[in-house]
Amino acid sequence: MSEREYTAKEISEHTVRDISVWIIVAGFVYNVTDFVDEHPGGAEEILHNAGKDVTSEFMRIHSETAKQMLKQYKIGKLKK
């Protein structure tokens, strides 16, 4: 079964804390809505980047543990 694909426009519409917050990391789409309030750096950091490709920043500042945690929020991939 292939992964669901999402356009950048679709992803950019998921930026509302109490509804849905999605991000793109390395070409994959993650629904991090349930993690917003648990984010150690604060909810505002995620909300500021909601609906965007955050690959560069995410890879630069997050630990390997955080990168592994992200996998549980994966919902698909970015449509090319």
Side-chain angles (χ1 to χ4, degrees):
M1 183 197 243
S2 64
E3 288 185 283
R4 169 108 191 253
E5 292 186 333
Y6 299 92
T7 66
K9 182 176 181 339
E10 286 176 291
I11 298 159
S12 73
E13 296 169 356
H14 294 270
T15 60
V16 180
R17 180 185 202 145
D18 295 328
I19 299 174
S20 64
V21 178
W22 294 6
I23 58 172
I24 304 164
V25 177
F28 293 99
V29 182
Y30 300 89
N31 180 342
V32 293
T33 309
D34 292 338
F35 187 69
V36 170
D37 291 326
E38 298 173 28
H39 186 256
E44 290 306 312
E45 288 299 315
I46 291 181
L47 295 172
H48 174 74
N49 292 297
K52 301 175 186 171
D53 187 329
V54 297
T55 303
S56 180
E57 183 176 352
F58 185 89
M59 298 307 248
R60 182 174 47 82
I61 66 173
H62 288 85
S63 67
E64 287 305 314
T65 301
K67 292 172 187 171
Q68 291 301 313
M69 281 180 57
L70 186 63
K71 292 178 180 180
Q72 68 186 309
Y73 300 103
K74 184 175 163 185
I75 60 170
K77 63 183 178 179
L78 180 62
K79 187 173 185 174
K80 295 182 181 184

